[in-house]
């Protein structure tokens, strides 16, 4: 799949610039197996890079100017590296402008370059195409000009570039795009950036994403509300248990013993967080033992929590997961990402993928009048040089 993307990108580069690229880079999207909404609640996430990528082709321009072509958009722009970097009305260019600004602001010296890029990451599907774009650009510039930048700093610079664009993202997307390993998931502490790899051999099961093709406008306001509710809950926990410094120190028993000290809503939110932190740990153990059926059960439990306790699901996602739960070919399913739309992640018995897709496609269309999309994904390596 990526071979065709690489061939097309390098051929386009040669046609555009009349020379072969000096460097070709692949930068992947990511999924999160489990651990939703707990990155900002001092928990762990369990992301992995996937085999959907952006392919970049680079050469030095031997000038102070850089020309970047987005093949899929049929658009291009030029930037003079001697001028102040400013935001543009053409949104996609801002991610690259942000990368250049962060590298310059952090003292890295480099000249102009030519670049073309193309992607097979579905845009707007929650697979972090923006993080792949940022990290791939930084990695390519690093390789082209022999800059000394550690992997973790590529991720942090990418995150800062996205903040500059105006999106206050966490570190998970960029970190997993850079640090991904084939058939490994990353247990990541988003606060300390400590991480460890765990096996991700799904054996006789396939990972398939169902794209609901809906995005409800509640997300931003409700996201901010959830953060406030969790802060309120943690404050009450600390008042009653001074030894608890964060949610990961809090047991279910402690929380249940002070349930009457919280509003019903705040209790539901923090109950989900405490349980989800434990589910990430259980998921790592299940993967290490090769117990994929247990992992599937944990996915169902997480969806229930996101839907009923954290209340960030929607009718379309709940219908997909409820239908999955009743299907013998599916052992686990949940909403992936912030919620209120986007994809569900599903573990499907190999050999049953096509019948499942056909069944769900027809049911979903009949119920909501919306076409369901499907993405088969495999866990792959992070940003790399070909």
């Amino acid at each position: 799949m990526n071979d065709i993307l690489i061939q097309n990108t390098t051929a386009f580069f040669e046609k555009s610039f009349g020379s072969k690229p000096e460097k070709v880079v692949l930068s992947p999207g990511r999924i999160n197996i489990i651990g939703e909404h707990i990155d900002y609640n001092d928990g762990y996430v369990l992301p992995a890079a996937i085999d959907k990528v952006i392919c970049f082709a680079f050469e030095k321009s031997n000038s102070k100017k850089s020309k970047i072509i987005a093949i899929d958009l049929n658009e291009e722009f030029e930037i003079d590296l001697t001028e102040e970097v400013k935001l543009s009305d053409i949104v996609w260019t801002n991610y690259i402008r942000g990368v250049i600004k962060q590298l310059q602001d952090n003292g890295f010296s480099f000249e102009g370059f030519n670049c073309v890029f193309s992607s097979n990451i579905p845009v707007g599907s929650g697979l972090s195409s923006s993080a792949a774009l940022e990290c791939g650009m930084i990695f390519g510039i690093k390789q082209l000009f022999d800059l000394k930048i550690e992997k973790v700093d590529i991720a942090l610079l990418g995150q800062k570039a996205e903040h500059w664009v105006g999106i206050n993202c966490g570190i998970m997307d960029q970190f997993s795009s850079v640090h991904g390993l084939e058939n490994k998931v990353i247990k990541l502490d988003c606060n300390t950036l400590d991480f460890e790899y765990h096996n991700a051999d799904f054996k006789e099961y396939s990972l398939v994403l169902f794209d609901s093709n809906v995005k409800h406008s509640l997300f931003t306001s409700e996201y901010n509300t959830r953060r406030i509710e969790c802060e309120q809950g943690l404050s009450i926990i600390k008042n009653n248990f001074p030894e608890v410094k964060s949610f990961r120190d809090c047991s279910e028993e402690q929380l249940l013993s002070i349930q009457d000290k919280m509003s019903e809503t705040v209790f539901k939110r923090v109950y989900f967080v405490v349980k989800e932190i434990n589910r990430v740990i259980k998921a790592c153990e299940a993967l290490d033992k090769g117990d994929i059926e247990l992992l599937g059960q944990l996915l169902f439990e997480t969806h229930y929590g996101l839907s009923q306790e954290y209340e960030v699901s929607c009718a379309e996602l709940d219908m997909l997961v409820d239908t999955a739960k009743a299907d013998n070919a599916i052992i686990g399913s949940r909403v992936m990402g912030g919620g209120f739309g986007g994809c569900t992640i599903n573990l499907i018995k190999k050999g049953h993928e096509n019948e499942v897709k056909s069944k769900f496609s027809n049911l979903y269309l009949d119920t909501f009048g919306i076409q369901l999309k499907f993405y088969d994904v495999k866990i792959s390596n992070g940003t790399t040089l070909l």
Side-chain angles (χ1 to χ4, degrees):
M1 178 177 63
N2 290 336
D3 289 346
I4 296 168
L5 180 70
I6 294 162
Q7 288 168 14
N8 291 344
T9 304
T10 52
F12 195 99
F13 185 95
E14 290 178 33
K15 183 181 171 187
S16 301
F17 297 108
S19 55
K20 288 186 182 295
E22 294 174 52
K23 305 287 181 183
V24 178
V25 169
L26 297 183
S27 191
R30 67 99 191 99
I31 56 173
N32 188 28
I33 301 295
I34 202 164
E36 228 59 89
H37 284 280
I38 59 167
D39 53 341
Y40 57 85
N41 282 314
D42 201 33
Y44 309 98
V45 288
L46 202 62
I50 56 171
D51 58 346
K52 303 273 189 288
V53 301
I54 302 177
C55 178
F56 301 80
F58 290 91
E59 73 173 1
K60 293 176 182 175
S61 66
N62 299 313
S63 74
K64 294 291 186 182
K65 291 185 177 179
S66 293
K67 185 175 183 180
I68 297 102
I69 304 173
I71 298 174
D72 308 329
L73 298 174
N74 195 28
E75 293 182 16
E76 63 183 63
F77 81 105
E78 191 170 83
I79 184 167
D80 189 328
L81 300 185
T82 64
E83 296 176 359
E84 183 187 353
V85 182
K86 294 179 180 176
L87 286 166
S88 163
D89 291 336
I90 304 166
V91 175
W92 71 267
T93 70
N94 288 331
Y95 294 92
I96 296 162
R97 295 174 197 273
V99 159
I100 290 169
K101 178 173 173 57
Q102 292 306 319
L103 286 169
Q104 289 178 339
D105 287 355
N106 283 273
F108 293 104
S109 179
F110 56 98
E111 300 293 308
F113 59 90
N114 296 320
C115 173
V116 307
F117 67 90
S118 183
S119 173
N120 56 27
I121 304 171
V123 176
S125 57
L127 301 182
S128 299
S129 55
S130 60
L133 180 60
E134 294 145 8
C135 295
M137 286 299 303
I138 295 167
F139 188 85
I141 295 168
K142 161 193 152 84
Q143 293 291 335
L144 201 57
F145 296 99
D146 197 27
L147 305 180
K148 301 293 182 255
I149 313 176
E150 298 297 324
K151 275 186 177 182
V152 67
D153 293 316
I154 293 175
L156 289 166
L157 288 164
Q159 182 192 27
K160 285 180 183 173
E162 190 142 344
H163 288 178
W164 182 78
V165 172
I167 299 164
N168 192 27
C169 63
I171 191 63
M172 176 177 76
D173 297 351
Q174 290 83 2
F175 196 95
S176 43
S177 187
V178 173
H179 286 83
L181 281 181
E182 188 174 4
N183 296 325
K184 298 283 184 183
V185 295
I186 309 164
K187 182 188 174 193
L188 171 65
D189 182 326
C190 292
N191 287 346
T192 65
L193 301 189
D194 290 336
F195 70 100
E196 59 190 35
Y197 292 105
H198 291 268
N199 292 327
D201 177 3
F202 297 108
K203 299 186 175 179
E204 64 264 35
Y205 299 99
S206 297
L207 269 179
V208 183
L209 309 181
F210 297 180
D211 188 343
S212 68
N213 255 324
V214 297
K215 281 184 180 52
H216 294 289
S217 58
L218 284 166
F219 177 68
T220 303
S221 61
E222 290 295 323
Y223 173 84
N224 293 334
T225 303
R226 294 300 175 280
R227 293 194 73 148
I228 292 165
E229 289 163 345
C230 289
E231 286 165 11
Q232 290 172 351
L234 184 58
S235 177
I236 294 167
I237 294 166
K238 286 179 174 178
N239 285 340
N240 287 271
F241 299 101
E243 71 275 16
V244 171
K245 303 294 183 232
S246 72
F247 282 117
R248 71 175 73 172
D249 305 323
C250 181
S251 69
E252 283 188 49
E253 291 72 24
Q254 286 173 316
L255 185 56
L256 290 167
S257 73
I258 56 169
Q259 181 176 352
D260 60 344
K261 292 180 167 51
M262 301 180 188
S263 71
E264 182 184 349
T265 299
V266 167
F267 173 76
K268 283 198 296 186
R269 305 297 188 249
V270 298
Y271 195 34
F272 165 77
V273 170
V274 169
K275 289 191 291 184
E276 185 73 350
I277 288 171
N278 289 329
R279 276 191 287 264
V280 174
I281 295 164
K282 288 178 184 174
C284 291
E285 292 169 355
L287 283 166
D288 290 341
K289 292 175 186 169
D291 191 345
I292 308 306
E293 289 77 12
L294 174 55
L295 178 67
Q297 185 56 43
L298 292 167
L299 297 188
F300 280 132
E301 289 177 17
T302 286
H303 185 81
Y304 174 86
L306 288 167
S307 176
Q308 302 302 311
E309 295 166 346
Y310 220 65
E311 297 182 281
V312 292
S313 189
C314 59
E316 295 89 348
L317 295 168
D318 286 344
M319 176 266 188
L320 289 173
V321 176
D322 288 344
T323 308
K325 212 165 190 176
D327 192 308
N328 290 333
I330 304 177
I331 61 160
S333 177
R334 72 171 187 86
V335 54
M336 188 183 76
F340 300 110
C343 292
T344 62
I345 181 169
N346 302 269
L347 282 166
I348 303 175
K349 288 179 185 172
K350 287 180 178 172
H352 294 264
E353 297 93 340
N354 289 338
E355 66 186 70
V356 164
K357 289 176 186 176
S358 177
K359 170 187 164 182
F360 274 72
S361 189
N362 292 331
L363 264 175
Y364 194 71
L365 190 60
D366 289 345
T367 307
F368 297 108
I370 302 170
Q371 198 71 51
L372 199 59
K373 291 181 185 173
F374 303 96
Y375 312 124
D376 299 287
V377 295
K378 288 186 170 60
I379 292 180
S380 191
N381 288 315
T383 308
T384 188
L385 185 69
L386 283 188

